[in-house]
Amino acid sequence: MGAGAGRHSLSGNATLSPNSASHILAQAGESFLPGPVLLLGAPGVGKGTQAQLLVSRYGIPQISTGDLLRANIARGTELGLKAKEIISSGRLVDDGLVNGMVLNRLQEPDTTRGYILDGYPRTLDQAKFLDRTLTELCLPPQLPVVAINIVVAYDELLRRITGRRICPACKSIYNIYTNVPKSDALCDIEGAALVQRSDDTEPVFVERMRTFDQQTAPVVHHYRKLGRFEEVNGDQPVDSVLAAIESTLLKLREAGK
Ligand SMILES: [Zn+2]
């Protein structure tokens, strides 16, 4: 079950069973330094859920460029004001500006044990900038970025997304293939007619996948070349995916990555 497939919120469906591998790993987790982790995943793999679980598991922040951009604009920082100007003129915020925001963020005290990178680095230039910055500034925990890609087969992702139905009343999420409502097309809770979001369609999915592949390929290639890239199977229960990510991360760090 993926992030969007569960009927409940994160706290409802992501509870770890006491005997899960991640529970066993928890003992090692106290002293383990996760370092910077770039979490990758196509639309629908459950990346958001896993990022939140890793955040609470290790007590490290999630750094997403979208959040950074909003925060900088809201606080009226120098970079935020520049970004606001660029966005309002209809242009795209450039690498330099994003890099600057990330650079500032990485010097905040909550990043010293590591952080989950979400949506950054998105380009090869950003990846190189980040590597260079971490080396030159010797920012704690003085570990390089490792990239972990959550992988789910194309057809399964298609089912997860095109099968998704949402209750407009209570926001419950169903899936007509994997999380079927008791009564056809009606919410189990109050009986409201379920709706499909306009972008949960196959054409939108195909386009989003194409964009994801195009954007991710150079970044994946970069980290793979450096031996700092691994894939985990995202087509398993949420806690198993988490356990897979954690053991992959341990393995990468034990290998000196
Ligand atoms: Zn409902």
Side-chain angles (χ1 to χ4, degrees):
M1 194 181 293
R7 200 166 297 183
H8 304 287
S9 63
L10 174 64
S11 56
N13 68 7
T15 312
L16 300 178
S17 60
N19 294 321
S20 67
S22 48
H23 180 78
I24 296 159
L25 282 168
Q27 283 116 35
E30 301 299 314
S31 58
F32 177 65
L33 277 179
V37 180
L38 169 61
L39 205 56
L40 298 165
V45 301
K47 186 182 68 159
T49 301
Q50 293 300 327
Q52 286 184 48
L53 289 170
L54 290 165
V55 160
S56 58
R57 169 87 177 79
Y58 293 122
I60 57 176
Q62 178 178 1
I63 299 179
S64 105
T65 37
D67 290 345
L68 269 186
L69 203 56
R70 279 186 290 276
N72 274 273
I73 291 173
R75 291 206 313 267
T77 66
E78 196 185 325
L79 294 172
L81 292 173
K82 275 187 198 162
K84 198 175 172 180
E85 197 186 307
I86 293 173
I87 293 167
S88 59
S89 72
R91 287 173 293 149
L92 289 173
V93 176
D94 57 279
D95 268 7
L97 211 53
V98 177
N99 286 341
M101 288 179 190
V102 171
L103 177 58
N104 290 343
R105 181 66 185 87
L106 295 187
Q107 296 179 69
E108 286 177 30
D110 63 343
T111 59
T112 54
R113 298 188 64 250
Y115 36 90
I116 305 298
L117 292 162
D118 177 15
Y120 182 95
R122 196 185 285 280
T123 65
L124 185 58
D125 282 347
Q126 288 179 349
K128 286 180 174 171
F129 169 84
L130 181 60
D131 283 354
R132 208 166 50 233
T133 300
L134 293 180
T135 311
E136 283 172 6
L137 297 184
C138 294
L139 291 173
Q142 302 196 18
L143 289 168
V145 175
V146 291
I148 297 177
N149 191 20
I150 305 170
V151 180
V152 174
Y154 186 91
D155 287 348
E156 168 60 20
L157 284 182
L158 184 64
R159 268 162 38 108
R160 285 186 184 185
I161 287 176
T162 60
R164 188 151 58 199
R165 298 292 181 274
I166 298 166
C167 171
C170 70
K171 311 294 173 202
S172 290
I173 299 167
Y174 298 85
N175 187 294
I176 58 167
Y177 304 110
T178 56
N179 189 19
V180 185
K182 289 193 188 86
S183 173
D184 196 32
L186 300 177
C187 179
D188 291 351
I189 295 167
E190 77 300 279
L194 301 177
V195 295
Q196 182 176 26
R197 279 186 2 199
S198 60
D199 53 356
D200 284 347
T201 60
E202 186 162 352
V204 175
F205 170 76
V206 169
E207 190 48 42
R208 287 180 69 198
M209 283 298 283
R210 188 176 299 142
T211 306
F212 171 78
D213 287 339
Q214 277 173 2
Q215 282 187 339
T216 315
V219 175
V220 166
H221 180 73
H222 172 74
Y223 289 113
R224 197 195 286 275
K225 209 171 58 185
L226 296 167
R228 296 197 251 125
F229 173 80
E230 289 290 340
E231 290 182 336
V232 300
N233 175 16
D235 194 5
Q236 46 182 344
V238 167
D239 58 345
S240 306
V241 179
L242 178 64
I245 293 173
E246 294 200 62
S247 58
T248 299
L249 182 55
L250 280 171
K251 209 175 66 185
L252 282 163
R253 293 303 182 203
E254 276 170 8
K257 303 296 182 185

